[in-house]
């Protein structure tokens, strides 16, 4: 059984937690990482979120994935595969961290989802009213889909797509 969906108020320690997690990842990956970024709701100031830090590593070359897997294993990360998302590889949290303390993903340089995550994050950071509407939606959906993370994620999809369309400039932003 998966963990229930729980949304909490923004925690100002999240950016520091991300930096503490990022440092050893950056050190072990070295120059094979083009960038390492904090994505997801915990990366947006004042946004309510599931209290899990999401980290994306964008590789310089797709062929570096085996090297990334080997290097991250030194820190205790275990490669779990792509979970059906081609271009993004998931890693299990090392022992000693909370079960859902953070999620680590290693992304191929051409994975479009990485750019979407950055665009979504940056749009919410720049548009507090949209972020507030997203927080309200997340709290409502968490109450409705507390025991079903898939249904929770699917129910947010329309909102996320609408924000991405505005972030990409496909429609005029109203907030």
């Amino acid at each position: 059984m998966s963990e229930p969906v729980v949304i909490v108020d923004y925690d100002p320690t999240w950016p520091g937690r991300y930096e503490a997690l990022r440092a050893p990842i950056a050190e072990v990956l070295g120059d094979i990482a083009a960038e390492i970024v904090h994505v997801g709701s915990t990366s947006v100031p004042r946004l309510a979120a599931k209290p899990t830090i999401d980290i994306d590593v964008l590789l310089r070359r797709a062929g570096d994935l085996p090297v990334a897997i080997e290097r991250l294993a030194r820190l205790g990360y275990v490669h779990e595969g792509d979970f059906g998302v081609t271009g993004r590889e998931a890693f299990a949290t090392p022992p000693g961290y909370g079960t859902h303390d953070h999620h680590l993903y290693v992304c191929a340089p051409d994975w479009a989802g990485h750019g979407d995550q950055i665009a979504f994050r940056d749009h919410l950071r720049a548009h507090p009213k949209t972020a507030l509407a997203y927080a309200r939606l997340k709290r409502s959906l968490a109450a409705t889909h507390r025991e079903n993370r898939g249904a929770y994620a699917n129910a947010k999809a329309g909102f996320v797509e609408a924000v991405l369309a505005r972030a990409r400039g496909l429609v005029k932003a109203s907030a």
Side-chain angles (χ1 to χ4, degrees), residues 131-175:
L132 180 60
Y134 188 47
R136 286 186 193 125
L137 174 66
K138 289 171 17 143
R139 287 185 189 280
S140 172
L141 294 175
T144 304
H145 302 292
R146 180 174 170 79
E147 302 302 326
N148 188 334
R149 284 179 176 258
Y152 167 80
N154 290 337
K156 295 186 311 178
F159 184 93
V160 171
E161 285 304 317
V163 169
L164 280 173
R166 288 194 304 271
R168 293 177 186 130
L170 300 176
V171 294
K172 186 174 171 115
S174 61

Side-chain angles (χ1 to χ4, degrees), residues 1-173:
M1 185 167 148
S2 68
E3 294 284 320
V5 178
V6 176
I7 304 298
V8 301
D9 289 340
Y10 179 78
D11 183 337
T13 67
W14 287 338
R17 180 69 184 134
Y18 158 74
E19 289 298 334
L21 292 163
R22 181 193 185 285
I25 292 167
E27 185 175 329
V28 77
L29 290 178
D31 66 352
I32 68 168
E35 69 177 341
I36 302 171
V37 293
H38 187 185
V39 295
S41 294
T42 61
S43 69
V44 179
R46 298 173 302 283
L47 181 60
K50 294 188 305 289
T52 302
I53 307 297
D54 291 316
I55 302 169
D56 270 5
V57 173
L58 186 69
L59 293 175
R60 290 193 186 282
R61 294 180 309 274
D64 285 336
L65 178 61
V67 176
I69 292 169
E70 182 270 322
R71 289 182 183 178
L72 289 167
R74 296 178 199 162
L75 298 176
Y77 288 99
V78 176
H79 180 233
E80 295 185 304
D82 68 9
F83 293 129
V85 181
T86 302
R88 184 193 78 175
E89 301 290 323
F91 288 78
T93 303
Y97 293 97
T99 305
H100 291 290
D101 176 73
H102 68 285
H103 294 149
L104 176 63
Y105 302 99
V106 173
C107 309
D110 61 348
W111 182 56
H114 177 72
D116 286 348
Q117 289 180 325
I118 301 300
F120 186 73
R121 177 199 69 193
D122 291 352
H123 190 84
L124 292 180
R125 285 177 173 176
H127 298 90
K129 288 181 184 177
T130 303
L132 180 60
Y134 188 47
R136 286 186 193 125
L137 174 66
K138 289 171 17 143
R139 287 185 189 280
S140 172
L141 294 175
T144 304
H145 302 292
R146 180 174 170 79
E147 302 302 326
N148 188 334
R149 284 179 176 258
Y152 167 80
N154 290 337
K156 295 186 311 178
F159 184 93
V160 171
E161 285 304 317
V163 169
L164 280 173
R166 288 194 304 271
R168 293 177 186 130
L170 300 176
V171 294
K172 186 174 171 115

